Structure formats: C-alpha cells, structure tokens
Amino acid sequence: MDHLLPGLVALAGALAAAPVARADDRIEHAVKAALVYKVARFVDWPEGNACPGGVVTVAVLDEDPFGDAITRAVEGRSLGGHPVQVRRLARVRDVPRCSVLWLSGGQGPPLGSLLAQVRGGFIVVVGDGTAFASQGGMVGLRVENERLVIEVNADAASAAGVRISSRLLGVARLVKTVKVGEGTE
Amino acid sequence: MSGQAARSGRAWFGSMIGRCARAFGWNYRAVVLVACFQAASLPAVGEETPPDLSDLSLEDLARVEIVQAASRREEEQRKAPSSVTVVTAEQIRRAGFHTLADVLRSVAGFYVTEDRNYSYVGVRGFGRPGDYNTRILVLIDGFRLNDNVYDMAPVGYDFPVDVDLIERVEVVRGPGAAMYGNSAFFAVINVVTKRGRDVGAVTTATAGRFGTWLGRGSYGRRFSSGLEVLGSLTLGASDGEDLFFPEFDQPGLGRAATHGLDDERFHSLHVSASLRGVSLLASHVSREKGIPTASYGTLFGDPRSATWDDRTVAALKYEGQVARAWRGFARVHYGRYSYRGHYAFDDAEGGLELDYSLGEWWGLDAGLQSHALGRHRWTVGGELQDNARQDQGWSYANEPGLRFDSFHDSSRWALYAQDELRVSESLTAHVGVRHDRGPSSGNRTSPRLGLVLAHGPSTLKILYGTAFRAPNEYELHYYEASESLRPETIQTIEAVAERYLGSRWRLCVSLFDNRIDHLISLQDDRGDLGFVNTGLIDSRGIEAALETKLRSGLRAQITYSFQRSTDRETGRPLTNSPRHLLKLGVAAPIVEERLAAGLDVQYLSRRATLAGNTLPGFVLANLTLRAPRVVGNLDASLGAYNLLDTRYSDPGSEEHRQDALPQPRRSLQLRLGWRF
C-alpha cells in the first residue's frame, strides 16, 4: 500500500505527459487541416447545380491520420456558397465532382495517374509530400524551417479545370511540374 | 466595427502562437503551444480540442511554427538511458557524406582510421590498430550486421546500404550488452533505412578526383493498398591515389611509388517492402579493394594483392499490437559474409597466397513490450543465432590443398529483460539484464542501470553498464599461438547532463569512465603472431556538444571530447588514441532554395603509433555546396573533401611495415541527381 500513492502520482504524471508527447503532431495536423480549408476557399467553385447535390466534398482516404483534424477544420463551414461534407473514401476514383482531395504522406496512386483520374472533375488535390506540387499535385503543404509553405502548381490546377485565385497565388510559392514522372508508370 | 475587432483579434491570436513558440524553451514549445491553444479556445470544449484555426488567415497559418516528428525522437533521445547522437538523412545530405564511416567521423568522441584497405572506427580514445571494428555493434533496422567470423562491422563501401538510403543513424554510446549482447562494447550503431515513399524514383551520378565515379538508381513508393516498396542499386569505382611509401625506397631506384593499386570497385543492392506490420529487407554488397601498402610483408607494387568482401543480410519482421498495452515483434534474419584475400609474395616464399573465410548465419529474435503495469514499462525478449558456417582457410595458388583450414558451426542464445520505472514525473529508473550463452562467450550476464532525471529544459543521466566481447573465430583459430581466450569485458560509468538554452540552443556534457579487462590483442612473440588476453585499460574523458538551429535556417554543431586512456600494465597511453577531438559542423542556406553550403571541420590531436612514434594532430575540412532543382528536378552538389589539402597520416597496424599511412589529399566531387 505504501507504493500506491507515489504510484498514482506517477501514473497521473504519465497520463498528463501523454498528450504532450503527441502535441507536435496535433499542431501540425491542425494547421495543415486548416490550410486545406483555406486553400479551398481560394478556388473558384462552380456555381449552382454544377456540383452534385450542391455540396463540396472534402475527400480523405481511409486510415488517414489527418482525417479527424480535417473534419474539425471544415465542420459547419461552406465553400463557394456550397455546404461542405467530409467523406472518407477507399479509392481515388470514388472521389465525386467538386471535391478537395487530401493526400497525406504520399498516399494513393502516383500523381501522374491520379491527375488523369481527376482531370475535368473539378477536384482540387492537396497533399503534403516534400515534392507534392512539383510532381504534379495542385497544392502542396510542406514544412520548411519549421513553417508550412504552400506550393501551388498552377499548370496542374488549370489542367484539371480548377481556377485558383490570385490571393492564394500571392501567398504561395509557384512550382512547375516535371513531366518525366508520368512516364515511370 | 465589430468585424474590425474580430479581425485584429485573429491577428493577435496568430501572432500569439508565434510569440508563444518563440518565447519558450525548445522542449517546452509543444507544451506551450497546446497551452496557447487551450487558453485561446475560451469556450472550453475539452482539453483535446484545438481552437478553430480555420478562422486564421493564410498568412497567420503559414507563420505557426511546426515542430515535426524529429523532435519527438529528440524527446525520446533526451530520456534514453544512454548518451545518444542521431545523424539524420538531412544532415548526411547537407554534409555530403559518402559512407557510414563519414557519418561516424562527425559524431562526438568517434574517429575513423583508414589503412587503404578497410575503415576502422575508434570510440572514446579506443581505436586499436588491427581491430576490425569488433567492439562496436552495427544494426540495420535493429538486427545485427557484424559477421560471425571476424565480428566485423563494415563502415566503408563494404557497408551494404548506400548512405542515401539511410533515414537516420542512431549512435548509442557506452556498453549495450544488457540489450544486445556480444560486440555491443563501446557503442551500438543502428542504421535506420528509408521507406519507399521517402526515396521515390531517383537516379544520381557522381564523378570526382582519383578516377572516382558512383551511380545510383532507386525506386520506391507506397501503394494505396498500404504496400510500400523500395529497390535500389549503387555502383561505384575509384582508381585511388598514387602513393609514395619511403619505407620501401631502395637506393638507386628512386622513390617507392604505387600507381593504380589503391583501386576500389563495389556494387550494392537494397530492397525493402512492408505491409501492415510485416516488413522485409534485404541488402547485398560486393566490394573489391586493391592493397597498395604491401601489408603482411607482401611484394611492394604487386597489383595482385587485393581483398574481396561480399555481404548479404536479410530480415523478415512482424511488429504490432498483440494485446491491449502489449506490443511485440518477431523477426527472422539471415546473414552471409564472404571474404577473399590475395596476397602476393615472392615465389621463394610461396607465391600468391589465397586467404578466405565464409560465414553464414540464421537468427531468430522476438520481444514484447508492455505498459500494462502502471508505472513500469517492461521489455522482455530472446534471441537465437545459428552459425551455420564459420569457415576460414588459406592456401598457395601454386599448390593443391589448404595450408590452414578451420571449419566450424555453432549456436548461441540470449534472454533479456528491461524495466523502465517511472519513479516520479521527472525521475525514471532503467534496469536491464541480459544473459548470453555461446561457445566462445560461455555464460555471460550483463546488467545495466540508469537513472534519468528530466526537469524542465534540463536532463541528468547517471548510467552504469557492462559488456563483453567474446573472442571471434579469427582470433581463436587463425594463429596457432592463440587458443584459450576468454571474453574481454568493459564496465562504464557515465554521467550525462543536457540543457536547452533558450529555444534554439542545446548543450550536452558527458563524463565517462571505462574499465576494460582481459583485452584481446595480437601479440608478436618472436615472429609467432597470436592473440592473447592482456591487460587492463582505464579510460576517462569528457564530451561536450553545443547545437543550434537558427531561424535563418543555419544549423551548427560544435563538439569537443577529451579522453585519457592508459594501459595499466605498461603505464603507457594507448596507440591511435587522440586525446582531443574537436568537430564543427555548419549547414547554411546561401541563396534561399537555390544554394546551400555545408562545412565540416575536424581536429584530431596527436596519436602514438605502434613503433612508439607520434603522429602530429591535424585539421581536416570538407565543404559541400548544394543547388537543388537547378534545372527541372535536377539537383547538383559539389563537394571538396580535405579542402585545406592537409597532409596527414593514420597509424599503421602490425601487418604494415609503414608506421604511418598517408591519407587522401584534396579531392573534388560533382554529383548530379534527377528526381522523377
């Protein structure tokens, strides 16, 4: 019994310390999730009935650690006048028209084939690999010197029929696609 | 009006996050950010809910400091019951390191000796000439790489994984036998390899002085199914330097010089795959190296003298949750090491000598970790290694049969248990013990104790550890004069103090005391070479490291180590044991995103040689300039190695007539890499 009290104190300490150990990830996830929403706000979404059900979807692939953070970031918000829904999907080809597709940690098929799948569907592809945008992703969020840098690949966006406002382009760093990657598949 | 207030409120919040992050200590930062979040989300929903960042502007969001996962490792490292240094892929890239030896050279207290055949690692003043890296244990993703004939840890181009495929190198100083058993004598070096997605599709080409070229092609990716794969091939060759060895000068024949004998050729192949807790890794390297030094009394200038080393390792591992609060892993691994050496003697002395050895082994290890018992975190595990082949032999090329052969097989096993006990919120006690049983080690029980006090920005560690190194097959059987050898042992007491100074500086000081007993050394008894257990060595020292990461992107690290090692029997300091090591590493962006520089400067103080001479201290500097994405996805880098063109030498070993061996002069290397 003598050990019980210090044991409990230690346990309480351990429990108190536990969220701290994960704090860094939570912040990174929260900031990236908020940026996913922010980026989507600077996209000219089609008006009226062009979006299925009049809804903009934020699509997250299954088992994505960012999923909850994204739900929290967009819950109850709207994009281009459309309500937003978050959907967890198994495959990229299930992503509906008018979507923001979030790909973290190099998930999903290689970008070349992915972009072919989303072309013309008004799908904004946002991801966080180190070279996400330069490999053909539309918007990349990469950490550099402990800050998040937004990279926009305007060519990839326009190829998919997505128009990004100059306000976002002003904040972001512009990168170009290197086409070679599409040949590797 | 209210909109204005709301907007300025948001701006205030955004800048507050930045300010909080800047104002507090590095390790406090994550905590403080959470506290900031909690304070800001006034309608307190619950501790786990961060505030609504979606209300912040793009600019404010981009200003939030992100502390990445690396710092979580830093936190673990801070609380580990050892003095740990981690060298990351980023650091390897910035400094332009080519081999694991280069990586280790940059670590406080480590130095590398080269004899133009292999690279040998010295740790804390202990770098015996002729020691084949038997006193460090090198792991690849956690499993043993040291072979079963020489117990050698390869660190040059004979290391099977290209440095570009290394995610990080974890250097754990001090005896690690309580966890890893044999060979974990001075340090355990765990090389963690990159995942497929971290590598991508890349090809690189390098060309440099001394006819050096190197090429690599890698392909890695993660599929949507979760399957992750990586495959990589590296090829390299070098003509090497032309060297002068005055020891071989003959009157009337001018200076004794070698041309093209320092050549090297290698290729390595690495594949890995993982899917849901199951991972597979296989690496192979094949290396040929010419011997320009006429070691072992071979003919000077004879191009036939060379060594061939082939190493293959493979491991299949499962790791996962086995029950609530219980994690486990099980692994099977395989290793093969083959060595061939050609030594050219005069025909009167037998002609060309062919030396060979072949080691092959299978291993099984498994472990369980539990935090089910409140303040305890238990780890228990076991290991079994079957040495299917431990063969050695030599012969002369011009006669049939072997002059010497030794064919063995053996097996060894071990059980270990570790407990990490949280005594209080800031104090953790580590207790560990491992029992090993093997033919040359006998029964060995290795304990370890550690106390880690982490309080605010400061950490204090008091550590006690032991280790043993069993005599290897080579030491036991190669020379007739060495038969009954017992394991050598080490006891270490170490104190480590670490403190974060502000948010961007870290200071770490460590004091150590090593006592090495029954040291196994090669002795020359009137021409008969043989290994014997000798002496007692005492070594004491201090290591200090100061690191900074500045906002400008500049990273700098300066380390100093001082040690004094004495052979208690002779009362003399050890050979190849520099008292002072001073190292400076700086990486800085020059033109943002366009050009970055990495500077690496090392000072090694004087060293005693086998013949009782003293080699002077020297300063070695390397400079690397990197230009990412020069054109498209083309990365270019230019490295100047031995920038100051310092003439320096490393001590020779028993097998060299030279007491000192000259080391590489200045060389430039250009490297181009294309990312697909």
Side-chain angles (χ1 to χ4, degrees):
Chain A
M1 281 306 272
D2 286 352
H3 299 293
L4 197 59
L5 188 63
L8 284 175
V9 171
L11 192 64
L15 290 175
V20 172
R22 292 197 312 268
D24 44 7
D25 273 0
R26 281 179 45 209
I27 292 158
E28 186 180 332
H29 290 191
V31 173
K32 283 184 179 171
L35 278 171
V36 171
Y37 169 69
K38 281 284 157 186
V39 164
R41 277 191 50 174
F42 294 106
V43 169
D44 293 339
W45 293 98
E47 287 179 18
N49 296 328
C51 293
V55 172
V56 171
T57 303
V58 177
V60 180
L61 292 187
D62 279 344
E63 291 176 33
D64 188 311
F66 283 71
D68 296 335
I70 289 195
T71 309
R72 271 201 296 274
V74 303
E75 230 165 26
R77 292 175 186 276
S78 63
L79 285 168
H82 305 291
V84 186
Q85 61 170 6
V86 177
R87 284 180 64 187
R88 283 177 175 274
L89 300 166
R91 290 165 308 186
V92 171
R93 77 171 89 104
D94 299 336
V95 177
R97 231 176 108 76
C98 290
S99 284
V100 181
L101 170 60
W102 166 251
L103 292 172
S104 73
Q107 279 188 349
L111 286 164
S113 66
L114 183 146
L115 290 172
Q117 289 183 47
V118 303
R119 193 152 291 167
F122 220 91
I123 295 169
V124 185
V125 186
V126 187
D128 68 349
T130 44
F132 188 81
S134 60
Q135 286 177 356
M138 290 173 213
V139 182
L141 305 177
R142 61 186 282 188
V143 179
E144 227 176 74
N145 296 330
E146 295 155 18
R147 298 283 188 281
L148 268 167
V149 175
I150 305 167
E151 288 186 332
V152 171
N153 184 329
D155 298 342
S158 64
V162 173
R163 267 200 52 204
I164 294 175
S165 88
S166 57
R167 167 93 163 76
L168 174 59
L169 297 179
V171 177
R173 181 185 296 164
L174 290 176
V175 294
K176 293 236 177 272
T177 313
V178 179
K179 297 277 181 197
V180 190
E182 299 184 14
T184 59
E185 273 312 299
Chain B
M1 177 63 203
S2 65
Q4 186 69 41
R7 207 167 310 137
S8 63
R10 272 179 228 154
W12 171 83
F13 175 69
S15 66
M16 190 181 83
I17 290 178
R19 214 173 310 137
C20 284
R22 279 191 293 276
F24 290 83
W26 178 264
N27 57 319
Y28 272 148
R29 199 156 51 179
V31 185
V32 169
L33 272 169
V34 173
C36 288
F37 280 159
Q38 287 167 2
S41 56
L42 282 175
V45 186
E47 289 190 345
E48 290 285 319
T49 315
D52 226 339
L53 290 172
S54 303
D55 286 335
L56 295 183
S57 73
L58 272 173
E59 290 82 357
D60 283 339
L61 279 169
R63 229 174 273 142
V64 176
E65 262 188 68
I66 302 294
V67 186
Q68 276 191 304
S71 67
R72 196 169 50 226
R73 264 201 305 279
E74 221 166 77
E75 188 63 17
E76 275 167 25
Q77 181 186 333
R78 201 167 81 93
K79 291 187 176 163
S82 310
S83 163
V84 183
T85 298
V86 176
V87 181
T88 61
E90 186 59 25
Q91 285 168 294
I92 291 172
R93 203 164 57 94
R94 283 193 196 123
F97 295 144
H98 289 136
T99 59
L100 183 59
D102 293 341
V103 173
L104 295 176
R105 238 188 272 268
S106 75
V107 172
F110 281 68
Y111 56 106
V112 177
T113 308
E114 312 257 356
D115 69 357
R116 299 204 177 257
N117 196 354
Y118 297 101
S119 308
Y120 312 96
V121 180
V123 187
R124 289 180 163 172
F126 203 98
R128 307 281 286 178
D131 170 12
Y132 296 137
N133 297 335
T134 57
R135 294 172 179 103
I136 53 169
L137 175 63
V138 173
L139 309 170
I140 295 183
D141 289 346
F143 73 93
R144 174 183 290 260
L145 177 64
N146 296 51
D147 67 78
N148 66 357
V149 176
Y150 304 95
D151 279 334
M152 182 175 182
V155 295
Y157 284 119
D158 48 347
F159 182 74
V161 182
D162 188 315
V163 284
D164 288 348
L165 304 175
I166 296 176
E167 175 61 29
R168 61 181 191 277
V169 179
E170 301 167 344
V171 179
V172 183
R173 294 181 190 78
M179 188 75 198
Y180 295 102
N182 194 22
S183 309
F185 204 75
F186 286 118
V188 176
I189 292 151
N190 185 24
V191 175
V192 180
T193 61
K194 283 183 179 169
R195 301 171 302 182
R197 76 184 93 158
D198 302 326
V199 176
V202 186
T203 172
T204 67
T206 306
R209 202 184 161 195
F210 311 134
T212 302
W213 66 265
L214 222 128
R216 173 172 70 93
S218 307
Y219 181 77
R221 70 174 277 201
R222 185 176 185 272
F223 296 88
S224 50
S225 59
L227 175 71
E228 188 151 15
V229 294
L230 171 66
S232 183
L233 176 70
T234 304
L235 302 168
S238 172
D239 296 337
E241 279 175 285
D242 290 344
L243 300 160
F244 293 100
F245 293 113
E247 291 82 357
F248 293 92
D249 284 354
Q250 282 178 21
L253 292 174
R255 299 177 68 188
T258 70
H259 302 288
L261 300 185
D262 185 28
D263 58 326
E264 181 165 22
R265 208 169 302 276
F266 70 92
H267 63 263
S268 65
L269 183 68
H270 174 79
V271 292
S272 70
S274 70
L275 179 67
R276 285 185 217 102
V278 179
S279 55
L280 176 74
L281 175 149
S283 290
H284 170 80
V285 64
S286 181
R287 170 189 182 252
E288 176 191 345
K289 180 73 183 72
I291 308 174
T293 56
S295 59
Y296 298 102
T298 49
L299 290 170
F300 182 80
D302 195 312
R304 292 175 298 168
S305 293
T307 56
W308 290 260
D309 294 87
D310 279 62
R311 223 171 264 274
T312 308
V313 286
L316 178 67
K317 181 185 176 187
Y318 169 77
E319 188 174 0
Q321 189 99 15
V322 287
R324 212 187 134 264
W326 286 85
R327 280 189 74 77
F329 82 91
R331 171 171 44 209
V332 53
H333 68 98
Y334 167 79
R336 184 179 187 277
Y337 170 64
S338 138
Y339 152 81
R340 279 187 306 128
H342 286 184
Y343 298 93
F345 291 95
D346 210 41
D347 282 340
E349 289 181 283
L352 187 66
E353 184 187 314
L354 312 175
D355 232 30
Y356 91 98
S357 66
L358 178 62
E360 201 172 6
W361 61 97
W362 287 92
L364 194 66
D365 61 332
L368 270 178
Q369 193 177 71
S370 164
H371 58 269
L373 289 168
R375 55 191 179 138
H376 293 270
R377 196 191 322 171
W378 278 97
T379 307
V380 290
E383 199 184 323
L384 182 70
Q385 183 168 323
D386 177 52
N387 295 310
R389 291 182 80 156
Q390 293 173 292
D391 302 350
Q392 305 175 69
W394 68 265
S395 58
Y396 285 116
N398 60 7
E399 65 178 37
L402 292 169
R403 282 285 182 112
F404 158 77
D405 63 65
S406 155
F407 303 133
H408 290 100
D409 56 77
S410 62
S411 62
R412 56 176 191 79
W413 58 262
L415 292 171
Y416 60 84
Q418 317 276 322
D419 183 25
E420 186 183 324
L421 169 65
R422 225 176 228 275
V423 181
S424 73
E425 199 173 326
S426 50
L427 182 68
T428 311
H430 296 258
V431 184
V433 65
R434 170 166 160 142
H435 185 80
D436 278 84
R437 191 182 163 85
S440 62
S441 65
N443 283 303
R444 309 295 312 183
T445 303
S446 315
R448 154 173 106 159
L449 287 169
L451 282 176
V452 178
L453 184 68
H455 187 75
S458 311
T459 313
L460 180 70
K461 304 176 187 179
I462 308 287
L463 312 163
Y464 167 79
T466 57
F468 67 95
R469 185 180 76 83
N472 56 46
E473 283 290 304
Y474 166 68
E475 288 163 337
L476 284 171
H477 306 296
Y478 192 82
Y479 298 109
E480 276 179 21
S482 44
E483 273 304 332
S484 61
L485 290 171
R486 52 172 298 177
E488 54 187 38
T489 57
I490 185 169
Q491 274 188 53
T492 299
I493 296 175
E494 186 166 4
V496 185
E498 208 178 305
R499 194 179 162 84
Y500 287 85
L501 309 162
S503 61
R504 305 202 162 264
W505 294 81
R506 188 178 79 99
L507 177 68
C508 181
V509 179
S510 154
L511 292 164
F512 63 88
D513 183 316
N514 286 337
R515 188 191 161 95
I516 298 150
D517 217 344
H518 310 296
L519 184 73
I520 299 169
S521 341
L522 185 61
Q523 276 197 350
D524 186 347
D525 184 13
R526 280 162 301 191
D528 279 341
L529 283 173
F531 284 98
V532 286
N533 282 112
T534 60
L536 181 65
I537 285 162
D538 269 341
S539 132
R540 286 195 186 121
I542 180 168
E543 273 158 15
L546 182 66
E547 278 174 21
T548 184
K549 294 177 179 176
L550 295 182
R551 187 168 296 270
S552 60
L554 183 120
R555 304 271 183 274
Q557 173 182 296
I558 184 160
T559 69
Y560 168 70
S561 45
F562 170 80
Q563 63 77 33
R564 208 169 201 169
S565 301
T566 320
D567 185 331
R568 289 280 288 275
E569 279 187 357
T570 60
R572 284 170 53 186
L574 294 187
T575 49
N576 191 22
S577 177
R579 283 216 176 145
H580 310 270
L581 294 175
L582 187 65
K583 299 174 183 186
L584 172 75
V586 184
I590 296 175
V591 182
E592 199 166 347
E593 293 169 48
R594 286 268 159 239
L595 187 65
L599 177 69
D600 193 43
V601 184
Q602 295 167 6
Y603 166 74
L604 236 90
S605 69
R606 63 196 161 88
R607 291 174 288 175
T609 64
L610 283 182
N613 296 317
T614 302
L615 293 176
F618 61 89
V619 174
L620 200 62
N622 303 318
L623 179 70
T624 306
L625 296 173
R626 282 185 304 114
R629 285 188 299 234
V630 188
V631 188
N633 273 0
L634 183 74
D635 295 336
S637 75
L638 183 68
Y641 300 87
N642 192 358
L643 181 69
L644 308 172
D645 204 19
T646 307
R647 290 164 185 260
Y648 69 104
S649 297
D650 281 339
S653 309
E654 299 281 357
E655 71 259 33
H656 298 115
R657 191 196 287 187
Q658 305 90 326
D659 193 34
L661 298 162
Q663 295 302 306
R665 302 289 297 272
R666 175 166 50 214
S667 64
L668 282 179
Q669 285 201 359
L670 176 69
R671 178 186 147 125
L672 300 174
W674 183 272
R675 265 178 287 151
F676 295 102

